[in-house]
């Protein structure tokens, strides 16, 4: 149980284009999903918290107009990197929150490797 | 905000050795979680701890929820090459706070 998928797993795009990454909870409903960014050999950097049916909450320093998040259903959240630039190249990972009794746990997707040329 | 100190930052060990890593905080948590991230993959939940003092095993992995609720440790016994990866702790108190990870390298 608690499986999270991400699509695509890898994407290469040209500078100036937009890229959409999907995050799905396959066997549970997730009111809350999270988007992380990870640079090589570094920790997880939380970008934003996505709540179904409401606006995402962005961490300090993350441009909300550049990283558009939509959480339209209890099983799907999307991250759109708009007008991508080479510095946006990174490993993006989503997670979905499950549980609640006794505690919530985050289950992670397999990640999306974005390369902007 | 809440912060976790995870140590060590990295470990280089010989196959067969035991490994120990821990997370400490000045904040109290209700749940401690331990994840492992393989290269190029997302983190996978290894062990969840829900009670202070709880000791839980998952195969060669053992984790404990500190009595003060401010710390947790993870032990790996008889390491093997596939144990390589980054191990993250997370403390949960409403929201989750992640440690910076321990990178484990196992030499055959």
């Amino acid at each position: 149980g608690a499986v999270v998928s991400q699509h695509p797993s890898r994407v290469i795009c040209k500078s100036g284009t937009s890229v959409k990454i999907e995050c799905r909870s396959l066997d549970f409903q997730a009111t809350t999903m999270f988007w992380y960014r990870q640079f090589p050999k570094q920790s997880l950097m939380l970008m934003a918290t996505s709540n179904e049916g409401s606006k995402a909450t962005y961490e300090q320093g993350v441009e909300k107009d550049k990283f558009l998040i939509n959480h339209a259903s209890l099983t799907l959240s999307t991250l759109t990197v708009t007008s991508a630039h080479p510095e946006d190249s990174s490993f993006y990972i989503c997670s979905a929150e499950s549980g609640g009794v006794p505690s919530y746990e985050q289950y992670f997707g397999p990640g999306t490797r974005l390369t902007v040329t | 905000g809440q912060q976790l100190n995870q140590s060590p930052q990295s470990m280089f060990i010989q196959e067969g050795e035991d490994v120990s890593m821990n997370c400490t905080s000045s904040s109290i948590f209700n749940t401690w979680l331990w994840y492992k991230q393989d290269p190029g993959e997302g983190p996978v939940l290894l062990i969840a701890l829900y009670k202070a003092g709880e000791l839980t095993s998952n195969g060669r992995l053992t984790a404990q929820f500190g009595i003060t609720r401010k710390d947790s440790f993870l032990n790996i016994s008889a390491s093997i090459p596939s144990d390589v990866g980054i191990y993250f702790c997370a403390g949960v108190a409403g929201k989750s706070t992640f440690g910076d990870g321990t990178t484990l390298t196992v030499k055959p």
Side-chain angles (χ1 to χ4, degrees):
Chain A
V3 179
V4 177
S5 70
Q6 259 182 264
H7 178 80
S9 58
R10 290 178 178 271
V11 58
I12 301 173
C13 70
K14 292 186 177 180
S15 187
T17 62
S18 295
V19 173
K20 180 185 284 188
I21 303 171
E22 292 186 348
C23 178
R24 293 181 185 274
S25 57
L26 299 184
D27 52 0
F28 66 101
Q29 294 184 326
T31 303
T32 304
M33 291 184 174
F34 303 87
W35 287 95
Y36 295 84
R37 184 172 179 176
Q38 188 178 36
F39 292 102
K41 298 186 178 180
Q42 292 193 20
S43 185
L44 305 167
M45 186 187 81
L46 179 64
M47 298 174 65
T49 301
S50 166
N51 290 295
E52 187 267 339
S54 63
K55 291 183 179 179
T57 303
Y58 291 81
E59 295 298 304
Q60 191 172 5
V62 177
E63 300 175 58
K64 58 182 67 177
D65 293 332
K66 180 166 188 62
F67 298 99
L68 300 179
I69 291 173
N70 187 304
H71 194 158
S73 77
L74 288 172
T75 59
L76 173 65
S77 176
T78 60
L79 168 68
T80 301
V81 182
T82 63
S83 186
H85 288 99
E87 57 265 31
D88 298 325
S89 298
S90 191
F91 192 52
Y92 293 87
I93 313 174
C94 72
S95 71
E97 202 169 58
S98 177
V101 179
S103 180
Y104 285 101
E105 298 150 2
Q106 289 186 35
Y107 293 88
F108 288 85
T112 298
R113 174 76 57 192
L114 170 63
T115 303
V116 184
T117 61
Chain B
Q2 296 168 326
Q3 286 190 331
L4 293 184
N5 296 311
Q6 185 170 350
S7 65
Q9 186 176 6
S10 60
M11 301 182 74
F12 296 83
I13 63 169
Q14 206 73 34
E15 182 177 0
E17 291 182 353
D18 296 343
V19 173
S20 184
M21 60 190 78
N22 68 84
C23 280
T24 60
S25 176
S26 58
S27 303
I28 289 175
F29 292 100
N30 301 318
T31 297
W32 282 96
L33 307 172
W34 284 93
Y35 295 84
K36 182 196 177 192
Q37 184 180 25
D38 289 329
E41 300 288 334
V44 173
L45 182 62
L46 298 173
I47 292 179
L49 303 159
Y50 302 108
K51 291 183 183 178
E54 180 181 353
L55 185 71
T56 297
S57 294
N58 178 3
R60 293 179 294 106
L61 277 61
T62 302
Q64 184 158 31
F65 191 142
I67 292 177
T68 64
R69 296 168 62 192
K70 295 181 180 181
D71 61 346
S72 177
F73 72 75
L74 174 70
N75 287 340
I76 305 172
S77 62
S79 59
I80 59 178
S82 61
D83 289 334
V84 164
I86 305 176
Y87 292 80
F88 291 99
C89 65
V92 185
K95 69 170 192 174
S96 296
T97 302
F98 284 83
D100 287 339
T102 295
T103 300
L104 178 63
T105 302
V106 180
K107 302 175 187 176

